[in-house]
Amino acid sequence: ALPILWLSGRKMSALLYNCHLPLVAIFGFCNIQSVVRGQQNSTLIFTIDNNIRNCSCSTNIPDCNYNLAQLMCNCRTVLLHTIDRAVPRFSYSTSLIVWFKDEVMLGSLVDFSFVQDLKLSLCGSTTLTTKYLAILGLRRLQIQSDAGAQYPQQNLTIYYGNDNNPQEPSHLLPGDKPALFHISYLDTALFNGHSLLKSYSVENVYNIGEHFPNLPYLNILSLYNNTYTVTLIY
């Protein structure tokens, strides 16, 4: 079962625990969706003392300022061993910010999860190796590398088919078919900041393994009679 570890916030007036039938039918997991009235906070996740801090923030916090985040945001601790390793892992209905120090921790938080608006910030000067993370439904991506990198801060907007304005907030829920069939693969080596952020998309892909045999989760995706839009981010 999915752990309830990302639904928090001062302004959350109700929680709806709902199994979206499209998700169950396609991937066999239950989505936990937040229903928020008024301003929607952003979700901030980082690790401290070998545990995860999951925060709901109503204001922007400078990257990797852990003390300020815990002061200004509504945070809770999640034990690492409670994270469910099943896939897909999590579904984030708010904008998500992740502070991380290595690709392993980043993968445990966002790999094969649903998130449309994502900011990833590398805290420290660690050199990351190539590891491909899969993200469902990604629309907007911000990455923050070490300040000494050649390209420390970069943004990317992903256009799908007949998009008029992907900068506008999407009203799609995690269980909606159009977003679910968009899958992006993110190369973690891009956080080294040696080159400009680039992406390449291929639409109407029926057999991902035939075109991209080295990408992860091909055995799971091949189980379903679907076509995908595949975006490589590198």
Side-chain angles (χ1 to χ4, degrees), residues 1-122:
L2 279 172
I4 303 171
L5 55 84
W6 52 271
L7 295 179
S8 60
R10 299 184 183 93
K11 298 184 179 181
M12 187 170 294
S13 59
L15 295 180
L16 174 63
Y17 302 92
N18 180 30
C19 290
H20 287 283
L21 292 180
L23 286 178
V24 175
I26 297 169
F27 286 117
F29 80 107
C30 180
N31 172 54
I32 305 174
Q33 177 193 346
S34 63
V35 177
V36 184
R37 293 187 183 135
Q39 181 182 356
Q40 193 174 42
N41 294 350
S42 61
T43 300
L44 168 64
I45 299 179
F46 57 88
T47 58
I48 189 169
D49 297 329
N50 294 321
N51 286 311
I52 298 171
R53 293 291 281 168
N54 182 291
C55 306
S56 179
C57 304
S58 60
T59 185
N60 292 328
I61 306 297
D63 288 327
C64 307
N65 193 327
Y66 302 104
N67 291 333
L68 184 61
Q70 296 187 92
L71 179 65
M72 299 296 294
C73 304
N74 183 10
C75 300
R76 58 180 296 187
T77 296
V78 179
L79 301 179
L80 282 173
H81 68 80
T82 64
I83 295 181
D84 196 335
R85 301 301 177 182
V87 291
R89 292 197 175 100
F90 308 114
S91 176
Y92 300 95
S93 60
T94 63
S95 61
L96 175 65
I97 303 168
V98 178
W99 298 345
F100 68 100
K101 295 182 179 180
D102 58 66
E103 60 268 33
V104 176
M105 181 53 63
L106 176 62
S108 68
L109 297 175
V110 302
D111 193 18
F112 215 64
S113 296
F114 180 97
V115 56
Q116 292 183 316
D117 197 337
L118 178 63
K119 180 179 180 181
L120 303 174
S121 297
L122 176 62

Side-chain angles (χ1 to χ4, degrees), residues 100 103 106 118 120-122 126-133 135 138 141-146 149-156 184-199 231-234:
F100 68 100
E103 60 268 33
L106 176 62
L118 178 63
L120 303 174
S121 297
L122 176 62
T126 304
T127 299
L128 272 61
T129 59
T130 291
K131 179 180 179 180
Y132 289 102
L133 305 181
I135 303 173
L138 185 63
L141 174 67
Q142 300 179 62
I143 67 166
Q144 181 70 46
S145 303
D146 180 71
Q150 185 176 0
Y151 302 97
Q153 186 174 12
Q154 302 190 66
N155 302 312
L156 177 69
S184 298
Y185 286 96
L186 176 70
D187 181 359
T188 56
L190 61 83
F191 289 97
N192 298 323
H194 298 322
S195 60
L196 289 172
L197 185 63
K198 297 180 286 293
S199 67
T231 299
L232 304 180
I233 303 172
Y234 55 98

